[in-house]
Amino acid sequence: MATITINSNANGDQDSVIVPLLSVQRTTPNSTSQVAIVGSKVCPIESLDYEIFENELFKQDWRGCSKVQVFQYIFMKWLLCFLIGLIVSLIGFCNNLAVENLAGTKFVVTSNMMLESRYGMAFFVFATSNFVLTLFAAIITAFISPAAAGSGIPEVKAYLNGVDAPGILSLRTLVVKIIGSISAVSSSLLVGKAGPMVHTGACVASLLGQGGSRKYKLTCKWLRFFKNDRDRRDLVTCGAAAGIAAAFRAPVGGVLFALEEMATWWRGALLWRAFFTTAIVAIVLRAFIDICLSGKCGLFGTGGLIMFDVYSANISYHVGDLPPVLALGVIGGILGSFYNFILDKVLRVYNLINEKGIAYKIFLACLISIFTSCLLFGLPWIASCRPCPADASEACPTIGRSGNYKKFQCPPGYYNDLASLIFNTNDDAIRNLFSKDTNAEFQHSSMLIFFVTCFFLSIFSYGVVAPAGLFVPVIVTGASYGRFVGMLVGPHSNLNHGLYAVLGAASLLGGSMRMTVSLCVIILELTNNLLLLPLIMLVLFVSKTVADAFNGNIYDLIMKAKGFPYLEGHAEPYMRQLTVSDVVTGPLQLFHGIEKVSNIVHVLRTTKHNGFPVLDEPPLSESPVLFGIILRAHLITLLKKKAFFFPTPDRTGMDALKQFSASDFAKRGSGNGDKIEDIELNEEEMDMLIDLHPFTNASPYTVVETMSLAKARILFREVGLRHLLVIPKISSRSPVVGILTRHDFMPEHILSLHPLLVNSRWKRLRFRFPTMRKFFQDISASIKSYPRE
């Protein structure tokens, strides 16, 4: 074992703390761990090994593959995609079925009490049921799986970029995500189900690709092919696509969402398998919905998973309709960027509260639930009752759960238009907003109140310790202001108010999430109206362009706030002014090809590095030569198996090929792997030697120390590396200079080493919201003064 201290980097991908940006004004000491906020809990994170580790065992296993094993591998890929689509569609259907029945029962009981003029008891039942459901979701999330909090899309997106956080794809997280999402959505919190469904699909895919569980004796030899990060990454991508497809019944939109927003690496074969997965989702959902339409699913009626009908056979638009549509796009871009700004600040404040302890997390969720219940029940009393239209296409007033004409407190023959929107499930509210031939149904004041309420409630509801998505709340909010614009335009446009609601939803989605192609297809699949395609494309383009002038998309802001070391697709300009030798720091720990066991144990116990260069020196080579790199997990496996020899340092690698197989070093699934602290060795074993050559990747990626940092970053990201070795330009020096890991490419780390480059950062033309910034800073300062639990 040797230590080099000249211009070298501490090896693992846990070299310095990446402090979560939610934690305002923290110090950033040099440490051997990286942390990020996973769900609602600060956890250490690592990187994933997307590179194929080509050691002698891998090569032997690859050479020994028969045609049968190749067939098994290909067959299992498609079988797992089929199972992912089947399971995710079943979960999505059951999720919607549960929400529709829970929320439906709540609204039916409340409406019956309203009919009897028992308004106080109706509010008590409504608020209590919401409180209990929220409390249940918060408790199981906080105590069982904090990683299940939030939408899960930022965590899955970071995973597909190569960031591994504990518990984000575990069985516990999956169960809490499903149950917690049902409870949170049913509790009338303004949260969505699409984000949790993406996370659910990713969890299902990851669990299926783990090859079973040795602990519970649930293993399958055919699944051994997928015990690596590369194949699991592809499965998780398919799972994310299936999640969107199950949430919106949008199979093509799901594939495009995974391609445009989630995946960092993509290829044609993965596109085909993702499409197959989402097709299975669409077929299964269609079969179950046909059953429910026959009345066999309780209160599951025209609610979730049914396409929103905004089709109009005589729809036509002219040049005169474009100015209001362009205005929608501009307004959506401004509102979307402002939405992202406020949400980012609110999440920072919520994090300060959550840091105080679990009791504070649960109290915050309950407080938001009570506040939401008071608004949803109290605001409809502001609206005036309107007489039922004579040509109503459905019963008016509606008595019960869903419908366009809610009776609420109104006398017979009248309806409350604000209650039809706000005292309803999110899906039914969207349906009412998108509905055709209802231009005279809503008042201007009711629509404006509903828009402002949804805008802020969706922001304040997202950060609670419960599974919560953003897709549906943004659709509801955007549809409300889109319909409001349609009401203002009135008879001066050929488009009806329902179509304006669709365009408003598209504009706010584009302004907040900054996706274009996938959002366009998802909205078209939601509304089943291809005639809207040109207008939706125009609105999305305008809203995204305007919003980009203010800030980034919402998921990137959340990832940055949580502290995930996500590698963007572009390199900062100042990275071209630096070479890789400018960012590596020492000391560098390395091993010889034949190493003493005690040296290996000492290094593993005193460092947290995950990769170590292996050198050959005389007499094994004429001069010091870089043989390759070996992983920490592989070294621990060798020590656990006690695969060493004594006392002559002769290379006996062929013996190791008989003792081990590639499956012995396969990546484990969820849960903790073996730790060096669990290895027990006596003094005699500590003095033995071990041959590392058969277990070392002899073909690692390397870069010369004079390569620009920007080029090295492109290589690191595009190949999906965990370690990138830096070699000297002059051969007379040590054969390895350092190791580049994900952390070395993060702007915060680079600028901390070279603070004079701050002014060289890539800047976009962006406007600020200075007054709001000062307001949230004052709130954060006041929260810090409260004691912790």
Side-chain angles (χ1 to χ4, degrees):
M1 186 271 296
T3 301
I4 296 178
T5 59
I6 301 176
N7 195 30
S8 57
N9 159 275
N11 311 61
D13 40 89
Q14 301 180 340
D15 300 289
S16 295
V17 170
I18 292 181
V19 177
L21 299 182
L22 287 177
S23 305
V24 183
Q25 301 296 328
R26 283 186 180 178
T27 58
T28 56
N30 213 0
S31 178
T32 57
S33 65
Q34 294 180 14
V35 295
I37 299 177
V38 182
S40 62
K41 182 180 180 181
V42 178
C43 301
I45 58 172
E46 297 182 358
S47 292
L48 295 165
D49 293 302
Y50 288 153
E51 177 195 5
I52 296 178
F53 203 80
E54 296 180 346
N55 56 20
E56 288 298 326
L57 290 173
F58 171 83
K59 295 176 182 178
Q60 182 191 49
D61 185 68
W62 184 258
R63 288 191 297 265
C65 284
S66 63
K67 292 183 178 180
V68 174
Q69 290 175 317
V70 174
F71 170 77
Q72 289 177 351
Y73 177 64
I74 297 175
F75 175 77
M76 286 304 301
K77 275 188 175 182
W78 290 97
L79 178 60
L80 288 179
C81 288
F82 173 81
L83 292 176
I84 291 170
L86 178 63
I87 295 174
V88 172
S89 58
L90 291 174
I91 293 174
F93 174 77
C94 294
N95 190 322
N96 279 270
L97 186 66
V99 169
E100 292 287 317
N101 280 279
L102 279 174
T105 302
K106 175 181 65 180
F107 283 117
V108 166
V109 172
T110 305
S111 298
N112 290 337
M113 292 182 177
M114 297 282 288
L115 287 174
E116 300 171 3
S117 299
R118 300 166 60 192
Y119 302 123
M121 182 57 67
F123 171 72
F124 176 78
V125 171
F126 179 72
T128 302
S129 59
N130 290 341
F131 181 85
V132 171
L133 288 169
T134 304
L135 180 62
F136 175 71
I139 287 177
I140 63 173
T141 304
F143 285 99
I144 300 178
S145 180
S151 72
I153 289 181
E155 284 81 359
V156 176
K157 185 176 180 179
Y159 177 89
L160 294 177
N161 189 256
V163 179
D164 188 21
I168 60 172
L169 300 177
S170 65
L171 179 61
R172 179 181 299 179
T173 300
L174 173 62
V175 174
V176 173
K177 201 77 179 185
I178 296 172
I179 300 176
S181 176
I182 293 173
S183 299
V185 175
S186 301
S187 69
S188 292
L189 288 177
L190 199 59
V191 296
K193 59 192 176 185
M197 277 305 304
V198 171
H199 196 178
T200 297
C203 290
V204 170
S206 177
L207 292 170
L208 287 176
Q210 287 181 8
S213 172
R214 292 182 181 179
K215 179 179 179 181
Y216 299 105
K217 298 181 180 180
L218 299 174
T219 57
C220 177
K221 291 184 178 180
W222 283 36
L223 291 175
R224 70 185 184 277
F225 303 112
F226 301 96
K227 291 189 175 182
N228 62 83
D229 290 328
R230 178 183 288 251
D231 284 315
R232 287 179 192 162
R233 175 191 66 193
D234 291 348
L235 291 175
V236 169
T237 303
C238 293
I244 286 292
F248 295 120
R249 278 184 63 205
V252 180
V255 175
L256 294 176
F257 173 81
L259 169 62
E260 183 178 5
E261 179 64 17
M262 302 298 293
T264 301
W265 300 277
W266 196 269
R267 59 185 189 278
L270 179 58
L271 174 66
W272 178 220
R273 286 198 297 274
F275 182 75
F276 172 73
T277 306
T278 57
I280 297 298
V281 173
I283 294 171
V284 174
L285 286 180
R286 180 71 263 175
F288 278 101
I289 289 173
D290 287 340
I291 296 175
C292 286
L293 289 177
S294 63
K296 299 179 180 179
C297 297
L299 292 175
F300 186 97
T302 58
L305 289 176
I306 309 300
M307 290 183 182
F308 303 120
D309 184 16
V310 296
Y311 180 80
S312 180
N314 58 353
I315 178 176
S316 63
Y317 43 87
H318 308 285
V319 177
D321 297 316
L322 293 183
V325 172
L326 290 173
L328 270 180
V330 174
I331 296 171
I334 296 174
L335 288 176
S337 59
F338 185 64
Y339 185 93
N340 293 359
F341 173 79
I342 298 294
L343 181 60
D344 179 55
K345 300 304 177 184
V346 169
L347 288 178
R348 293 174 185 269
V349 174
Y350 279 8
N351 180 69
L352 295 176
I353 298 174
N354 292 338
E355 284 181 342
K356 304 292 183 179
I358 292 180
Y360 286 85
K361 297 180 183 180
I362 298 176
F363 175 77
L364 176 63
C366 294
L367 187 64
I368 296 297
S369 174
I370 296 172
F371 179 68
T372 301
S373 296
C374 292
L375 281 181
L376 299 187
F377 194 89
L379 286 177
W381 294 87
I382 301 176
S384 59
C385 295
R386 296 172 61 100
C388 290
D391 57 346
S393 58
E394 60 181 78
C396 180
T398 301
I399 300 174
R401 181 184 63 83
S402 61
N404 273 35
Y405 306 98
K406 282 267 188 176
K407 184 177 184 298
F408 205 67
Q409 90 288 8
C410 295
Y414 289 80
Y415 72 97
N416 188 315
D417 61 332
L418 184 54
S420 300
L421 296 173
I422 207 168
F423 197 69
N424 223 333
T425 63
N426 290 332
D427 285 353
D428 288 329
I430 295 172
R431 181 166 291 98
N432 293 345
L433 290 168
F434 284 3
S435 59
K436 60 186 179 181
D437 301 327
T438 56
N439 287 0
E441 179 182 348
F442 301 105
Q443 303 176 78
H444 291 75
S445 58
S446 297
M447 194 59 61
L448 187 59
I449 291 172
F450 181 66
F451 163 68
V452 174
T453 303
C454 290
F455 188 90
F456 289 102
L457 269 188
S458 60
I459 291 175
F460 292 120
S461 299
Y462 178 75
V464 300
V465 57
L470 286 172
F471 250 103
V472 172
V474 172
I475 291 176
V476 175
T477 306
S480 61
Y481 97 79
R483 187 155 186 132
F484 181 74
V485 171
M487 295 167 67
L488 293 179
V489 174
H492 302 291
S493 174
N494 294 311
L495 303 178
N496 63 54
H497 297 177
L499 297 179
Y500 271 105
V502 175
L503 296 177
S507 68
L508 192 60
L509 284 170
S512 177
M513 301 182 180
R514 313 295 162 81
M515 293 176 280
T516 53
V517 179
S518 58
L519 283 180
C520 183
V521 175
I522 288 173
I523 293 172
L524 290 177
E525 291 182 294
L526 268 178
T527 58
N528 197 25
N529 191 348
L530 280 175
L531 297 176
L532 283 174
L533 176 60
L535 294 181
I536 292 176
M537 293 174 65
L538 179 63
V539 163
L540 285 171
F541 176 79
V542 172
S543 63
K544 181 186 185 315
T545 303
V546 172
D548 281 339
F550 292 90
N551 48 35
N553 81 66
I554 187 61
Y555 296 124
D556 287 349
L557 290 177
I558 293 175
M559 279 195 300
K560 184 177 180 181
K562 286 176 173 288
F564 288 117
Y566 183 85
L567 291 178
E568 298 284 353
H570 66 273
E572 296 281 355
Y574 60 78
M575 292 186 182
R576 300 197 179 275
Q577 305 175 32
L578 300 172
T579 63
V580 294
S581 61
D582 293 325
V583 297
V584 290
T585 56
L588 172 70
Q589 301 288 348
L590 51 83
F591 295 116
H592 296 113
I594 297 179
E595 188 61 81
K596 195 173 182 181
V597 173
S598 59
N599 291 338
I600 297 176
V601 172
H602 173 73
V603 172
L604 294 181
R605 287 180 176 174
T606 55
T607 68
K608 297 296 183 181
H609 308 329
N610 288 287
F612 303 90
V614 177
L615 303 184
D616 271 343
E617 294 184 344
L620 297 180
S621 62
E622 295 182 358
S623 60
V625 176
L626 174 64
F627 184 80
I629 186 172
I630 190 167
L631 298 181
R632 180 186 189 90
H634 293 181
L635 288 172
I636 293 177
T637 300
L638 294 176
L639 295 176
K640 184 179 179 181
K641 299 280 187 179
K642 300 185 178 180
F644 21 79
F645 58 94
F646 179 86
T648 58
D650 296 328
R651 294 183 61 172
T652 58
M654 296 308 296
D655 294 336
L657 299 181
K658 299 176 182 178
Q659 299 178 38
F660 294 94
S661 65
S663 60
D664 293 324
F665 298 91
K667 181 79 177 280
R668 292 193 176 185
S670 301
N672 297 322
D674 294 324
K675 298 180 180 179
I676 185 60
E677 291 78 11
D678 300 328
I679 306 297
E680 296 182 359
L681 301 171
N682 56 40
E683 292 185 3
E684 181 181 358
E685 292 169 336
M686 294 286 279
D687 291 331
M688 292 185 180
L689 301 174
I690 185 170
D691 186 1
L692 300 180
H693 293 94
F695 316 102
T696 300
N697 180 6
S699 56
Y701 283 91
T702 60
V703 293
V704 181
E705 60 181 340
T706 55
M707 177 181 282
S708 74
L709 189 62
K711 292 179 67 175
R713 184 189 181 281
I714 293 173
L715 173 66
F716 190 93
R717 184 183 188 273
E718 294 301 322
V719 181
L721 301 178
R722 185 178 187 179
H723 306 99
L724 183 59
L725 296 179
V726 181
I727 60 176
K729 189 171 185 179
I730 303 175
S731 58
S732 60
R733 297 173 55 189
S734 171
V736 59
V737 174
I739 295 183
L740 290 172
T741 62
R742 174 176 296 269
H743 173 60
D744 296 303
F745 295 105
M746 301 310 297
E748 294 80 8
H749 170 71
I750 298 171
L751 295 177
S752 68
L753 297 176
H754 305 278
L756 295 180
L757 294 175
V758 172
N759 294 329
S760 301
R761 295 197 69 174
W762 182 61
K763 294 181 176 66
R764 307 174 76 169
L765 177 61
R766 284 190 168 166
F767 303 95
R768 305 292 180 185
F769 303 100
T771 55
M772 298 298 295
R773 193 183 305 274
K774 181 65 168 62
F775 170 73
F776 283 104
Q777 287 176 350
D778 295 340
I779 293 180
S780 300
S782 62
I783 292 176
K784 284 182 180 180
S785 62
Y786 284 91
R788 293 175 179 268
E789 234 181 18

